[in-house]
Amino acid sequence: QVQLQESGPGLVKPSQTLSLTCTVSGGSISSGYYYWSWIRQPAGKGLEWIGRVYTSGSTNYNPSLESRVTISVDTSKNQFSLKLTSVTAADTAVYYCARGYGDFDYWGQGTLVTVSS
Amino acid sequence: DIVMTQTPLSSPVTLGQSASISCRSSQSLVHSDGNTYLSWLQQRPGQPPRLLIYKISNRFSGVPDRFSGSGAGTDFTLKISRVEAEDVGVYYCMQATQFPYTFGQGTKLEIK
């Protein structure tokens, strides 16, 4: 059973960089034709897809965030990561990592990131 | 971006009765590979989303057969038969046919 777990700081100051890591267990991040995505959800609101990475390092981003987002993969550690620069209060949300191609079949539990000074 | 519009936004249902949620996309979700990447997710209170249905009508592993999906093109429906207390939560449709992937606003299923 594949499991995903997000980790990273829960509090980030405005204008700084948000950095999160998703650790995959129960299977190799390199196996199968899977992409690895980040999705976020502000409190009480809906879901927003941030972007995805393939094990080759190939990425696709949401144009609304593309100028500030970098998603990368480290196959040796079975992890993939999110960096979001120049954060504001509008970036406060629960951040989820998920696996999928065409749908998201496995999700992490999510991690709350608050942007505040 | 493809806009996903769900109706209703709230659905009070009596236990044992059925519920139906509609999802309409602003463009056809038929991909160039012939697949339609429309999925349904359930988010119980305090939990991450969970995949229920993928490619319109395929139930994900472990999903009860009370959940069924249908539709084509731009109009899709999730039906929940014999609603149980554990079905309470928010349901989202999602398209992964075109970047950026987008979600519906969510439909809150409540028990009357």
Side-chain angles (χ1 to χ4, degrees):
Chain A
Q1 174 87 351
V2 173
Q3 293 185 320
L4 292 82
Q5 180 66 57
E6 305 88 351
S7 59
L11 181 64
V12 181
K13 289 183 167 52
S15 79
Q16 294 193 341
T17 297
L18 178 161
S19 296
L20 296 175
T21 296
C22 182
T23 300
V24 178
S25 59
S28 170
I29 200 171
S30 301
S31 66
Y33 188 60
Y34 293 114
Y35 283 79
W36 305 88
S37 282
W38 288 97
I39 298 128
R40 69 180 183 179
Q41 184 174 38
K45 296 189 177 180
L47 299 159
E48 180 181 33
W49 178 75
I50 299 169
R52 71 177 192 178
V53 64
Y54 189 57
T55 51
S56 64
S58 168
T59 54
N60 300 98
Y61 299 130
N62 191 322
S64 67
L65 297 166
E66 188 164 13
S67 63
R68 299 193 291 129
V69 171
T70 302
I71 298 176
S72 58
V73 63
D74 186 336
T75 55
S76 67
K77 294 181 179 179
N78 234 32
Q79 295 176 335
F80 63 107
S81 299
L82 168 70
K83 290 190 187 303
L84 182 65
T85 62
S86 305
V87 297
T88 69
D91 296 309
T92 294
V94 174
Y95 285 75
Y96 296 101
C97 56
R99 183 187 88 163
Y101 176 82
D103 54 68
F104 297 126
D105 56 359
Y106 290 100
W107 294 66
Q109 285 297 308
T111 187
L112 173 62
V113 179
T114 302
V115 178
S116 175
S117 55
Chain B
D1 298 5
I2 294 179
V3 177
M4 306 296 287
T5 303
Q6 289 182 228
T7 54
L9 298 184
S10 177
S11 179
V13 183
T14 301
L15 288 173
Q17 297 300 303
S18 294
S20 188
I21 301 170
S22 173
C23 176
R24 178 166 290 178
S25 58
S26 60
Q27 301 174 39
S28 172
L29 297 187
V30 179
H31 193 274
S32 56
D33 66 7
N35 289 306
T36 299
Y37 294 106
L38 183 284
S39 56
W40 290 94
L41 303 160
Q42 175 197 59
Q43 187 172 32
R44 291 170 172 152
Q47 295 294 312
R50 164 199 178 200
L51 179 64
L52 294 176
I53 302 286
Y54 63 97
K55 286 194 281 187
I56 302 177
S57 60
N58 297 277
R59 267 189 305 277
F60 186 56
S61 174
V63 175
D65 60 7
R66 301 184 293 103
F67 293 88
S68 61
S70 62
T74 61
D75 287 283
F76 307 93
T77 301
L78 174 70
K79 184 177 179 182
I80 310 170
S81 303
R82 306 180 304 280
V83 168
E84 300 182 2
E86 66 175 18
D87 299 334
V88 164
V90 180
Y91 291 79
Y92 295 94
C93 59
M94 187 199 94
Q95 69 81 20
T97 291
Q98 182 183 114
F99 294 121
Y101 297 168
T102 48
F103 299 84
Q105 321 96 299
T107 295
K108 189 172 186 178
L109 185 75
E110 309 168 298
I111 304 299
K112 280 183 186 175

